[in-house]
Amino acid sequence: MDNFKTTLQEILKNKKTLVIIGVIVVALLGILLLFSIFSKPASSSGNGTENSESELSAEELLALQRAEMISNAERLAASYDYDAAIALIQDWEGYAEDEELSAKITDYETQKAACVRIDPTKVTHIFYHSLVVDPERCFNPDDYQGRGNYEWMTTISEFNKITQEMYDRGYVIVGIHDLYRYETDENGNKIMVENDIYLPEGKKAFVLSFDDLSYYHSYDNYGYASKLVLDENGKVINEYIDAEGNVHYGAYDYVPILDAFIEEHPDASYRGAKATVALTGYNGILGYRSDDSYYLENTDLNRDKRQWLEAHPEFDLETERAEAKKIADAMKANGWTFASHTWGHLSVGTKSLESLKADNERWQRNVASIVGETNVIIFAHGTDLGNWGAYSETNEKYNYFASEGFEIFCNVDSSPDYRVYFGDTYLRMGRRNLDGIRFYYNITGQQDNLSDLFDVNEVIDPARPPYEEFLD
């Protein structure tokens, strides 16, 4: 025994031996740990979560699918599509014998019966431009663009407050194409007539649109988002470059912001409608330089385009178009629609017919080829093709656009009075701009054309400088 103690003491005094023993112990523990990990069933998640669907019994899987179906039906009903909600439940095998599912159908039928028809001629139409992320950079009284930004633009904070207040007042977004349907008259002609839209009593329908979602070169360094991109889940978000040149990704403009709001409040939208986006083409669309005027050999390039091309020697037109199409397709799948804003942001009331034809050909070639065909044209600069009411049969500009497939024509009038006119083959709609100049006129008491929508004093962004610095 004494010999053993002596030997052990000698070993412990030998540091080298202790190191070897420690390595052996650690190795043995590692082997045991690996054995414990790999000895678990291959199908186990190993993270403490519930078993995967492959491990569920048939009964459990059926219950999971049923719960998902009910959730989808509830969302459809919340967006006033009661028929689709009922049809979804009726597709479930055995729904008639299922007390909960039968009760759901009865509830949806009751909600539908309580709805009242919305008069399509009494629907207001509001619009914005791209939202301001950084008011300090955007609103600059010392240059033309900065002053224009102040008049024409709305900040993210203002947009969020307006959206929330209109929602609280019972406003519901309807798609512009929800306002009408086609019928055939006694002569076999297709005519446009008022559609039937039903909402719960107290709800008010409105159409929403946005202009100029191109992220123009003139927006650079003024505190706007720079483009739309897809995140890892295929959702549309923004790229934003801050004042220090750092690149951020997230909700920095109205597309992801409105998507998120309606995801949280499905009753803010009639059947999933979002808004109509009016696009020019001369700087490309959606933040992509997708226009054929960006060819390097083009000698008609303006300074902005030349500078952009010099900074992007890797530019490839087809790649830009392909990326823009991914964004457009994702937006359309999520309830957004597109309209022409003319390729060159033209004033249709003052331009010649020949120039409008040439411009529309460029729009069809560079924009419609990416976003798809549309029957909506939203006029820039607030002009129109003629006086309010019926377009004259001899109106050459109207006849041309009608021959090109346009059936919905929108101008700007800022009036709270409803400006909706149905012709036999077209719809005309006035729009109300929600921006700095409109806020100014209402705050100063010169106009009262926003109070039916929201309290302008409650929504003004504190970061917006005093009006006296810009509108003297």
Short mmCIF file of all heavy atoms in Angstrom, two decimals, residues 150-190:
data_model
loop_
_atom_site.label_atom_id
_atom_site.label_comp_id
_atom_site.label_asym_id
_atom_site.label_seq_id
_atom_site.Cartn_x
_atom_site.Cartn_y
_atom_site.Cartn_z
N TYR A 150 -40.23 68.88 -49.98
CA TYR A 150 -41.06 69.35 -48.88
C TYR A 150 -42.54 69.46 -49.29
O TYR A 150 -43.44 69.13 -48.52
CB TYR A 150 -40.55 70.71 -48.41
CG TYR A 150 -41.11 71.14 -47.08
CD1 TYR A 150 -40.53 70.71 -45.89
CD2 TYR A 150 -42.22 71.98 -47.01
CE1 TYR A 150 -41.05 71.11 -44.66
CE2 TYR A 150 -42.73 72.39 -45.79
CZ TYR A 150 -42.14 71.94 -44.62
OH TYR A 150 -42.66 72.33 -43.41
N GLU A 151 -42.77 69.90 -50.52
CA GLU A 151 -44.14 70.08 -51.00
C GLU A 151 -44.78 68.76 -51.43
O GLU A 151 -45.96 68.53 -51.17
CB GLU A 151 -44.15 71.05 -52.19
CG GLU A 151 -43.77 72.46 -51.84
CD GLU A 151 -43.96 73.40 -53.02
OE1 GLU A 151 -44.80 73.09 -53.90
OE2 GLU A 151 -43.27 74.43 -53.09
N TRP A 152 -44.01 67.89 -52.08
CA TRP A 152 -44.59 66.74 -52.76
C TRP A 152 -44.60 65.46 -51.92
O TRP A 152 -45.33 64.53 -52.26
CB TRP A 152 -43.80 66.44 -54.04
CG TRP A 152 -43.58 67.61 -54.93
CD1 TRP A 152 -44.47 68.61 -55.22
CD2 TRP A 152 -42.39 67.91 -55.67
NE1 TRP A 152 -43.91 69.51 -56.08
CE2 TRP A 152 -42.62 69.11 -56.38
CE3 TRP A 152 -41.15 67.28 -55.81
CZ2 TRP A 152 -41.66 69.69 -57.20
CZ3 TRP A 152 -40.20 67.87 -56.63
CH2 TRP A 152 -40.45 69.06 -57.32
N MET A 153 -43.79 65.42 -50.86
CA MET A 153 -43.54 64.14 -50.21
C MET A 153 -44.15 64.04 -48.81
O MET A 153 -44.50 65.05 -48.19
CB MET A 153 -42.03 63.88 -50.13
CG MET A 153 -41.35 63.88 -51.49
SD MET A 153 -42.14 62.72 -52.65
CE MET A 153 -40.99 62.76 -54.00
N THR A 154 -44.22 62.81 -48.35
CA THR A 154 -44.75 62.47 -47.05
C THR A 154 -43.72 61.60 -46.33
O THR A 154 -43.08 60.76 -46.97
CB THR A 154 -46.07 61.68 -47.19
OG1 THR A 154 -46.92 62.35 -48.13
CG2 THR A 154 -46.79 61.55 -45.86
N THR A 155 -43.57 61.79 -45.04
CA THR A 155 -42.60 60.98 -44.31
C THR A 155 -43.21 59.65 -43.89
O THR A 155 -44.44 59.48 -43.90
CB THR A 155 -42.09 61.70 -43.05
OG1 THR A 155 -43.14 61.75 -42.07
CG2 THR A 155 -41.61 63.11 -43.37
N ILE A 156 -42.36 58.71 -43.52
CA ILE A 156 -42.84 57.42 -43.04
C ILE A 156 -43.74 57.61 -41.83
O ILE A 156 -44.81 56.98 -41.72
CB ILE A 156 -41.66 56.49 -42.70
CG1 ILE A 156 -40.98 56.01 -43.99
CG2 ILE A 156 -42.12 55.29 -41.87
CD1 ILE A 156 -39.77 55.13 -43.75
N SER A 157 -43.35 58.49 -40.91
CA SER A 157 -44.16 58.74 -39.72
C SER A 157 -45.54 59.26 -40.10
O SER A 157 -46.57 58.80 -39.57
CB SER A 157 -43.45 59.75 -38.82
OG SER A 157 -44.29 60.17 -37.77
N GLU A 158 -45.61 60.20 -41.03
CA GLU A 158 -46.90 60.76 -41.46
C GLU A 158 -47.76 59.69 -42.12
O GLU A 158 -48.96 59.60 -41.87
CB GLU A 158 -46.66 61.94 -42.39
CG GLU A 158 -46.08 63.15 -41.67
CD GLU A 158 -45.46 64.18 -42.58
OE1 GLU A 158 -45.22 63.87 -43.78
OE2 GLU A 158 -45.20 65.31 -42.11
N PHE A 159 -47.14 58.89 -42.98
CA PHE A 159 -47.88 57.83 -43.65
C PHE A 159 -48.46 56.85 -42.64
O PHE A 159 -49.63 56.45 -42.73
CB PHE A 159 -46.97 57.10 -44.63
CG PHE A 159 -47.62 55.93 -45.31
CD1 PHE A 159 -48.52 56.12 -46.34
CD2 PHE A 159 -47.33 54.63 -44.92
CE1 PHE A 159 -49.14 55.03 -46.98
CE2 PHE A 159 -47.92 53.55 -45.54
CZ PHE A 159 -48.83 53.75 -46.57
N ASN A 160 -47.66 56.45 -41.66
CA ASN A 160 -48.14 55.49 -40.66
C ASN A 160 -49.29 56.06 -39.84
O ASN A 160 -50.27 55.36 -39.56
CB ASN A 160 -46.99 55.09 -39.73
CG ASN A 160 -46.02 54.13 -40.38
OD1 ASN A 160 -46.36 53.42 -41.32
ND2 ASN A 160 -44.80 54.09 -39.88
N LYS A 161 -49.19 57.33 -39.47
CA LYS A 161 -50.26 57.94 -38.68
C LYS A 161 -51.55 58.08 -39.50
O LYS A 161 -52.65 57.85 -38.99
CB LYS A 161 -49.80 59.30 -38.15
CG LYS A 161 -48.74 59.22 -37.07
CD LYS A 161 -48.29 60.61 -36.63
CE LYS A 161 -47.22 60.53 -35.56
NZ LYS A 161 -46.74 61.88 -35.15
N ILE A 162 -51.40 58.48 -40.76
CA ILE A 162 -52.58 58.60 -41.62
C ILE A 162 -53.24 57.24 -41.81
O ILE A 162 -54.47 57.09 -41.71
CB ILE A 162 -52.20 59.22 -42.97
CG1 ILE A 162 -51.79 60.67 -42.80
CG2 ILE A 162 -53.38 59.13 -43.95
CD1 ILE A 162 -51.17 61.30 -44.04
N THR A 163 -52.43 56.24 -42.11
CA THR A 163 -52.96 54.89 -42.32
C THR A 163 -53.72 54.40 -41.10
O THR A 163 -54.82 53.84 -41.21
CB THR A 163 -51.82 53.92 -42.65
OG1 THR A 163 -51.13 54.37 -43.83
CG2 THR A 163 -52.35 52.51 -42.90
N GLN A 164 -53.14 54.62 -39.92
CA GLN A 164 -53.79 54.16 -38.68
C GLN A 164 -55.08 54.93 -38.42
O GLN A 164 -56.11 54.34 -38.06
CB GLN A 164 -52.83 54.32 -37.50
CG GLN A 164 -53.39 53.80 -36.19
CD GLN A 164 -53.60 52.30 -36.19
OE1 GLN A 164 -52.70 51.54 -36.50
NE2 GLN A 164 -54.81 51.87 -35.84
N GLU A 165 -55.04 56.26 -38.61
CA GLU A 165 -56.23 57.04 -38.31
C GLU A 165 -57.36 56.73 -39.29
O GLU A 165 -58.53 56.63 -38.89
CB GLU A 165 -55.93 58.54 -38.31
CG GLU A 165 -57.15 59.36 -37.89
CD GLU A 165 -56.83 60.80 -37.55
OE1 GLU A 165 -55.64 61.12 -37.33
OE2 GLU A 165 -57.77 61.60 -37.48
N MET A 166 -57.03 56.56 -40.56
CA MET A 166 -58.08 56.20 -41.52
C MET A 166 -58.66 54.83 -41.19
O MET A 166 -59.87 54.60 -41.30
CB MET A 166 -57.53 56.25 -42.95
CG MET A 166 -57.26 57.66 -43.44
SD MET A 166 -56.74 57.72 -45.19
CE MET A 166 -58.22 57.15 -46.02
N TYR A 167 -57.81 53.92 -40.78
CA TYR A 167 -58.29 52.59 -40.36
C TYR A 167 -59.22 52.72 -39.16
O TYR A 167 -60.29 52.10 -39.12
CB TYR A 167 -57.09 51.70 -40.03
CG TYR A 167 -57.46 50.37 -39.40
CD1 TYR A 167 -57.98 49.33 -40.17
CD2 TYR A 167 -57.29 50.16 -38.03
CE1 TYR A 167 -58.32 48.12 -39.60
CE2 TYR A 167 -57.62 48.95 -37.44
CZ TYR A 167 -58.13 47.93 -38.23
OH TYR A 167 -58.46 46.73 -37.65
N ASP A 168 -58.82 53.54 -38.19
CA ASP A 168 -59.65 53.73 -37.00
C ASP A 168 -61.00 54.36 -37.34
O ASP A 168 -61.99 54.14 -36.63
CB ASP A 168 -58.92 54.60 -35.98
CG ASP A 168 -57.70 53.91 -35.38
OD1 ASP A 168 -57.62 52.67 -35.45
OD2 ASP A 168 -56.81 54.62 -34.85
N ARG A 169 -61.03 55.15 -38.41
CA ARG A 169 -62.28 55.78 -38.84
C ARG A 169 -63.12 54.86 -39.73
O ARG A 169 -64.19 55.27 -40.20
CB ARG A 169 -61.99 57.08 -39.58
CG ARG A 169 -61.40 58.18 -38.72
CD ARG A 169 -61.40 59.50 -39.47
NE ARG A 169 -60.75 60.58 -38.70
CZ ARG A 169 -60.81 61.86 -39.04
NH1 ARG A 169 -61.48 62.23 -40.14
NH2 ARG A 169 -60.20 62.77 -38.32
N GLY A 170 -62.65 53.66 -40.00
CA GLY A 170 -63.44 52.70 -40.75
C GLY A 170 -63.17 52.65 -42.24
O GLY A 170 -63.91 52.00 -42.99
N TYR A 171 -62.09 53.30 -42.69
CA TYR A 171 -61.76 53.25 -44.12
C TYR A 171 -61.16 51.91 -44.49
O TYR A 171 -60.35 51.34 -43.75
CB TYR A 171 -60.78 54.38 -44.47
CG TYR A 171 -61.45 55.72 -44.64
CD1 TYR A 171 -61.50 56.63 -43.58
CD2 TYR A 171 -62.03 56.08 -45.86
CE1 TYR A 171 -62.12 57.87 -43.74
CE2 TYR A 171 -62.64 57.32 -46.02
CZ TYR A 171 -62.69 58.20 -44.96
OH TYR A 171 -63.30 59.42 -45.12
N VAL A 172 -61.55 51.43 -45.66
CA VAL A 172 -61.10 50.13 -46.17
C VAL A 172 -60.58 50.31 -47.59
O VAL A 172 -61.27 50.90 -48.44
CB VAL A 172 -62.25 49.10 -46.17
CG1 VAL A 172 -61.79 47.77 -46.78
CG2 VAL A 172 -62.78 48.88 -44.76
N ILE A 173 -59.39 49.81 -47.87
CA ILE A 173 -58.83 49.89 -49.23
C ILE A 173 -59.60 48.95 -50.15
O ILE A 173 -59.78 47.77 -49.85
CB ILE A 173 -57.35 49.50 -49.24
CG1 ILE A 173 -56.52 50.45 -48.37
CG2 ILE A 173 -56.80 49.48 -50.67
CD1 ILE A 173 -55.08 49.99 -48.18
N VAL A 174 -60.02 49.47 -51.28
CA VAL A 174 -60.57 48.63 -52.34
C VAL A 174 -59.70 48.82 -53.58
O VAL A 174 -59.19 49.92 -53.82
CB VAL A 174 -62.05 48.94 -52.66
CG1 VAL A 174 -62.92 48.72 -51.43
CG2 VAL A 174 -62.21 50.36 -53.18
N GLY A 175 -59.54 47.78 -54.36
CA GLY A 175 -58.77 47.90 -55.59
C GLY A 175 -59.54 48.70 -56.62
O GLY A 175 -60.78 48.66 -56.66
N ILE A 176 -58.82 49.44 -57.45
CA ILE A 176 -59.51 50.25 -58.44
C ILE A 176 -60.32 49.38 -59.41
O ILE A 176 -61.35 49.79 -59.93
CB ILE A 176 -58.51 51.15 -59.20
CG1 ILE A 176 -59.25 52.28 -59.91
CG2 ILE A 176 -57.64 50.34 -60.16
CD1 ILE A 176 -58.35 53.39 -60.39
N HIS A 177 -59.87 48.13 -59.61
CA HIS A 177 -60.61 47.23 -60.49
C HIS A 177 -61.83 46.61 -59.81
O HIS A 177 -62.63 45.95 -60.48
CB HIS A 177 -59.68 46.12 -60.99
CG HIS A 177 -58.56 46.61 -61.84
ND1 HIS A 177 -57.30 46.87 -61.33
CD2 HIS A 177 -58.51 46.93 -63.16
CE1 HIS A 177 -56.52 47.31 -62.30
NE2 HIS A 177 -57.23 47.36 -63.42
N ASP A 178 -61.96 46.82 -58.49
CA ASP A 178 -63.16 46.35 -57.79
C ASP A 178 -64.36 47.25 -58.05
O ASP A 178 -65.50 46.86 -57.76
CB ASP A 178 -62.91 46.29 -56.28
CG ASP A 178 -61.90 45.24 -55.88
OD1 ASP A 178 -61.90 44.17 -56.51
OD2 ASP A 178 -61.11 45.49 -54.95
N LEU A 179 -64.13 48.43 -58.58
CA LEU A 179 -65.21 49.41 -58.72
C LEU A 179 -66.16 49.10 -59.86
O LEU A 179 -67.27 49.63 -59.90
CB LEU A 179 -64.63 50.81 -58.93
CG LEU A 179 -63.76 51.37 -57.80
CD1 LEU A 179 -63.24 52.75 -58.17
CD2 LEU A 179 -64.53 51.44 -56.49
N TYR A 180 -65.75 48.26 -60.80
CA TYR A 180 -66.57 48.05 -61.99
C TYR A 180 -66.58 46.58 -62.40
O TYR A 180 -65.76 45.78 -61.95
CB TYR A 180 -66.04 48.90 -63.15
CG TYR A 180 -64.68 48.45 -63.64
CD1 TYR A 180 -64.55 47.52 -64.66
CD2 TYR A 180 -63.52 48.95 -63.06
CE1 TYR A 180 -63.30 47.10 -65.10
CE2 TYR A 180 -62.27 48.55 -63.48
CZ TYR A 180 -62.17 47.61 -64.50
OH TYR A 180 -60.93 47.20 -64.92
N ARG A 181 -67.50 46.27 -63.26
CA ARG A 181 -67.53 44.97 -63.92
C ARG A 181 -68.04 45.20 -65.34
O ARG A 181 -68.51 46.30 -65.67
CB ARG A 181 -68.43 43.98 -63.19
CG ARG A 181 -69.91 44.30 -63.21
CD ARG A 181 -70.73 43.24 -62.49
NE ARG A 181 -72.16 43.48 -62.62
CZ ARG A 181 -72.87 44.25 -61.81
NH1 ARG A 181 -72.27 44.88 -60.81
NH2 ARG A 181 -74.17 44.42 -62.00
N TYR A 182 -67.95 44.20 -66.17
CA TYR A 182 -68.42 44.32 -67.55
C TYR A 182 -69.73 43.56 -67.73
O TYR A 182 -69.93 42.48 -67.17
CB TYR A 182 -67.38 43.76 -68.52
CG TYR A 182 -66.07 44.51 -68.52
CD1 TYR A 182 -64.93 43.97 -67.93
CD2 TYR A 182 -65.97 45.77 -69.11
CE1 TYR A 182 -63.72 44.65 -67.93
CE2 TYR A 182 -64.77 46.46 -69.11
CZ TYR A 182 -63.65 45.89 -68.52
OH TYR A 182 -62.46 46.57 -68.51
N GLU A 183 -70.59 44.16 -68.53
CA GLU A 183 -71.82 43.49 -68.94
C GLU A 183 -71.97 43.65 -70.44
O GLU A 183 -71.25 44.43 -71.08
CB GLU A 183 -73.04 44.09 -68.22
CG GLU A 183 -73.09 43.78 -66.73
CD GLU A 183 -74.36 44.29 -66.07
OE1 GLU A 183 -75.14 44.99 -66.76
OE2 GLU A 183 -74.56 43.99 -64.88
N THR A 184 -72.89 42.91 -71.01
CA THR A 184 -73.15 42.98 -72.46
C THR A 184 -74.51 43.63 -72.68
O THR A 184 -75.51 43.20 -72.09
CB THR A 184 -73.12 41.59 -73.09
OG1 THR A 184 -71.86 40.97 -72.82
CG2 THR A 184 -73.34 41.67 -74.60
N ASP A 185 -74.55 44.70 -73.48
CA ASP A 185 -75.82 45.38 -73.71
C ASP A 185 -76.65 44.65 -74.76
O ASP A 185 -76.25 43.60 -75.27
CB ASP A 185 -75.59 46.85 -74.10
CG ASP A 185 -74.89 47.02 -75.44
OD1 ASP A 185 -74.80 46.04 -76.22
OD2 ASP A 185 -74.42 48.15 -75.73
N GLU A 186 -77.81 45.23 -75.09
CA GLU A 186 -78.73 44.57 -76.02
C GLU A 186 -78.17 44.43 -77.42
O GLU A 186 -78.65 43.62 -78.22
CB GLU A 186 -80.06 45.34 -76.07
CG GLU A 186 -79.98 46.76 -76.61
CD GLU A 186 -79.58 47.77 -75.54
OE1 GLU A 186 -79.21 47.33 -74.43
OE2 GLU A 186 -79.63 48.99 -75.81
N ASN A 187 -77.12 45.20 -77.73
CA ASN A 187 -76.49 45.11 -79.04
C ASN A 187 -75.26 44.20 -79.05
O ASN A 187 -74.55 44.12 -80.06
CB ASN A 187 -76.10 46.50 -79.53
CG ASN A 187 -77.29 47.42 -79.69
OD1 ASN A 187 -78.33 47.01 -80.22
ND2 ASN A 187 -77.17 48.65 -79.22
N GLY A 188 -75.02 43.56 -77.93
CA GLY A 188 -73.88 42.65 -77.86
C GLY A 188 -72.57 43.35 -77.56
O GLY A 188 -71.50 42.72 -77.65
N ASN A 189 -72.63 44.63 -77.16
CA ASN A 189 -71.42 45.37 -76.86
C ASN A 189 -71.04 45.23 -75.38
O ASN A 189 -71.91 45.24 -74.50
CB ASN A 189 -71.62 46.86 -77.17
CG ASN A 189 -71.92 47.10 -78.64
OD1 ASN A 189 -71.28 46.53 -79.51
ND2 ASN A 189 -72.92 47.93 -78.91
N LYS A 190 -69.75 45.12 -75.11
CA LYS A 190 -69.26 45.06 -73.75
C LYS A 190 -69.27 46.46 -73.15
O LYS A 190 -68.72 47.39 -73.75
CB LYS A 190 -67.85 44.49 -73.70
CG LYS A 190 -67.31 44.30 -72.29
CD LYS A 190 -65.89 43.77 -72.32
CE LYS A 190 -64.90 44.87 -72.67
NZ LYS A 190 -63.49 44.46 -72.48
#
